[in-house]
Amino acid sequence: MFPQFTDVLIVGAGPTGLALAVALQQAGVDHVLVDKLPSGQNTSRAAVIHAHTLETMEKLGVVDELTRRGLSLIRFALRDRDRTLLNLRFDQLPSRHAKILMLPQDETEAVLQERLLELGGSVHWNATVSSVERNGDGYTAWLATSEGERAVQARFVVGADGMHSIVRQSAGIAFEGETYAGSFVLADVMMDWSVGSEEVSLFFSPSGMAVVAPLPHDRYRVVATMENAPEQPDIADIQSILASRGPSDGRTKVREVLWSSRFRLHHRVASAYRNEGMLLMGDAAHVHSPAGGQGMNTGLVDAMVLGDVLTRVVRDGKPETELGRYEALRRPAAVEVLAMADRLTGLAMIQGGFRRSVRNVALGALDRIGPLKRKLELDLSGLSRKAYSKL
Ligand SMILES: Cc1cc2nc3c(=O)[nH]c(=O)nc-3n(C[C@H](O)[C@H](O)[C@H](O)COP(=O)(O)OP(=O)(O)OC[C@H]3O[C@@H](n4cnc5c(N)ncnc54)[C@H](O)[C@@H]3O)c2cc1C
């Protein structure tokens, strides 16, 4: 039987919806988690989990398993082909998790889902929310399910339903920003790669940018700009990108594309994170360039903060005004992340020999100025935004 009543309806069982469900399940807060897919996603998308995210997720009891499945790295380099412009290190971070953890998003979701089931929670797959209406003290959500149309009555509705969020639309909240011209490709590959498997590299090149990040099981994630990208880039596409933007030693050989996709770049933040009892988190609230690998990380921290706020209100009987704390903390965090991702993307895509030389000289200087480097490391790890997760 599909549940008819709940305190918290979570729409979307991506990483943020799953993390919130685990937090609420642990706190004993009644909730229902639904997703329109027939089962969990199998797309790799986000590949990195940063130190601050790992810290905030400790209380979910998933960090050991994520760490066991992932690849722990400490180096991130900005390069112009063979020349290293800036070397960042994450092993000196002021954190119990001084590293970057590489793990494909579907694995992160699998770990969260396993934890939810272990705690006695569940996901209602095949359940698509078509609208959410205000109704007395709460909300009615209409869903198309495998059992037919169903209505769920909830006190609070959380939109964890991604960029095209139906919850955001039902709440009448604007998604302000823009969509960039051009497209990106994303591929998980097996290849010969002379840089090795201990460094995440961001290559700047006149023909576009390319990120190469090692993943567990000898795989690499490649993310790159590409004009007129095909729907599923193949070996030749990735080989040609890396041959023209990566090391010039001729030793790069892409042997297999395990999964690939193309996507457009958006840069948007919701004008509000809340309209009374309807709340937004993750990509429903903010989307931006993947440069710096921040999207899922910011969303997971949203989920942890919202979990604490909803626990206070639903379980501990605190006034609903507490919900305002969530927006007050998390929207500024997203605005900072958007600005950082935008800066990194802009730097990577600078055109013209003179402007590129100036950029390279500036980054070379930054590499020698310790405090500025530390600041960038803290920004990327999320630790500089710790204050935005403290209730
Ligand atoms: C190419 C690419 C690379 C990226 N790389 C990184 C990276 O390296 N690091 C990083 O941190 N982030 C990265 N991101 C961003 C990251 O993938 C997202 O931030 C993350 O998936 C957001 O999680 P979410 O739970 O908010 O939303 P989603 O993952 O989009 O999940 C939303 C869920 O809601 C469900 N849903 C939608 N509508 C409905 C409905 N009406 N009813 C029921 N269910 C619904 C969907 O089926 C889906 O399961 C990348 C994104 C892309 C596209």
Side-chain angles (χ1 to χ4, degrees), residues 11-18 34-37 41 44-50 105 109 125 127-130 143 160-167 184-186 221 223 259 263-264 281-284 286-288 290 292-299:
V11 184
T16 65
L18 285 164
V34 299
D35 199 291
K36 65 181 179 185
L37 295 174
Q41 307 235 21
S44 170
R45 296 196 288 161
V48 49
I49 311 183
H50 288 293
Q105 182 168 331
E109 292 177 19
W125 299 108
T128 307
V129 173
S130 54
L143 297 99
D161 48 349
M163 193 170 74
H164 304 290
S165 171
I166 189 79
V167 177
F184 272 66
V185 296
L186 179 70
R221 154 65 56 84
V223 184
W259 177 81
F263 63 100
R264 296 289 302 276
M281 64 178 191
D283 277 20
H286 45 79
V287 286
H288 52 78
Q294 300 292 323
M296 180 183 76
N297 284 271
T298 310

Side-chain angles (χ1 to χ4, degrees), residues 19-74:
L20 178 63
V22 173
L24 296 182
Q25 184 72 21
Q26 269 182 331
V29 174
D30 175 60
H31 64 276
V32 170
L33 173 60
V34 299
D35 199 291
K36 65 181 179 185
L37 295 174
S39 65
Q41 307 235 21
N42 61 0
T43 59
S44 170
R45 296 196 288 161
V48 49
I49 311 183
H50 288 293
H52 178 48
T53 316
L54 290 168
E55 283 185 1
T56 55
M57 287 190 16
E58 269 174 5
K59 59 185 172 197
L60 299 186
V62 293
V63 170
D64 286 350
E65 184 59 13
L66 291 171
T67 307
R68 194 186 66 75
R69 294 196 195 193
L71 182 65
S72 296
L73 300 181
I74 57 166

Side-chain angles (χ1 to χ4, degrees), residues 80-158:
D80 188 342
R81 301 222 58 178
D82 301 312
R83 196 170 143 210
T84 301
L85 305 172
L86 183 63
N87 253 313
L88 301 176
R89 290 186 65 108
F90 293 87
D91 53 342
Q92 305 296 321
L93 290 173
S95 169
R96 290 179 294 281
H97 305 284
K99 62 184 169 204
I100 37 183
L101 183 66
M102 305 306 304
L103 188 65
Q105 182 168 331
D106 51 343
E107 289 243 17
T108 300
E109 292 177 19
V111 169
L112 286 164
Q113 193 184 331
E114 281 161 27
R115 179 69 179 141
L116 182 62
L117 301 186
E118 183 183 290
L119 291 166
S122 61
V123 187
H124 296 271
W125 299 108
N126 254 325
T128 307
V129 173
S130 54
S131 66
V132 184
E133 296 162 6
R134 177 95 201 168
N135 178 358
D137 286 345
Y139 297 87
T140 305
W142 294 96
L143 297 99
T145 77
S146 46
E147 302 166 14
E149 190 176 41
R150 290 287 179 271
V152 177
Q153 185 68 30
R155 185 172 166 202
F156 299 108
V157 179
V158 177

Side-chain angles (χ1 to χ4, degrees), residues 199-277:
E199 174 192 297
V200 177
S201 315
L202 169 54
F203 290 92
F204 295 165
S205 134
S207 54
M209 77 158 200
V211 180
V212 178
L215 290 174
H217 313 299
D218 301 325
R219 299 170 176 198
Y220 291 88
R221 154 65 56 84
V222 179
V223 184
T225 47
M226 186 178 183
E227 288 297 323
N228 304 317
E231 217 165 292
Q232 286 191 320
D234 60 14
I235 290 184
D237 295 319
I238 306 301
Q239 180 72 41
S240 132
I241 286 171
L242 295 180
S244 60
R245 303 180 199 174
S248 62
D249 57 13
R251 285 163 56 202
T252 303
K253 181 158 178 39
V254 181
R255 285 183 277 111
E256 193 182 348
V257 173
L258 301 152
W259 177 81
S260 70
S261 179
R262 105 185 134 190
F263 63 100
R264 296 289 302 276
L265 212 61
H266 305 270
H267 179 98
R268 294 176 192 275
V269 65
S271 57
Y273 273 29
R274 172 189 172 214
N275 183 351
E276 300 193 347

